[in-house]
Amino acid sequence: MNAIAHRVVAHGRVQGVGYRDAAVQAAFEHGIAGWVRNRTDGTVEMFVQGTPEAVERFLHWCRRGPPLARVTDVLTTPAAVAPALRAFEWRPTA
């Protein structure tokens, strides 16, 4: 698989609106591996990896989020692929 990876931080009204749970479902639907967690600064942080096409589709979803979210910005930074990651998981707040 020709995989790419990104660290993603979503800003706005993204906590307390089901963003993490919806991200896990969206990642499954898009074939993305990685993780999602709330951060104490009110953002949601993710590590995502998959094919370039799958990652782009997932990032598009991140910019909208679930219906109750109000995403104001999504920052992405390229990252090294983590070959051991095979699924997408919800992690505790950091």
Side-chain angles (χ1 to χ4, degrees), residues 33-54:
W35 51 263
V36 60
R37 66 182 174 193
N38 282 346
R39 294 183 0 168
T40 57
D41 65 1
T43 61
V44 171
E45 178 183 22
M46 293 167 272
F47 177 85
V48 301
Q49 70 181 29
T51 66
E53 298 82 10

Side-chain angles (χ1 to χ4, degrees), residues 21-93:
D21 291 335
V24 171
Q25 181 62 35
F28 175 76
E29 291 170 3
H30 291 92
I32 296 294
W35 51 263
V36 60
R37 66 182 174 193
N38 282 346
R39 294 183 0 168
T40 57
D41 65 1
T43 61
V44 171
E45 178 183 22
M46 293 167 272
F47 177 85
V48 301
Q49 70 181 29
T51 66
E53 298 82 10
V55 169
E56 185 55 41
R57 286 190 308 270
F58 182 76
L59 292 176
H60 179 74
W61 177 90
C62 291
R63 292 179 188 101
R64 288 184 328 246
L68 295 177
R70 296 295 174 257
V71 181
T72 59
D73 199 9
V74 174
L75 304 176
T76 64
T77 306
V81 171
L85 283 175
R86 299 283 180 218
F88 196 86
E89 63 186 39
W90 184 95
R91 290 191 176 173
T93 299

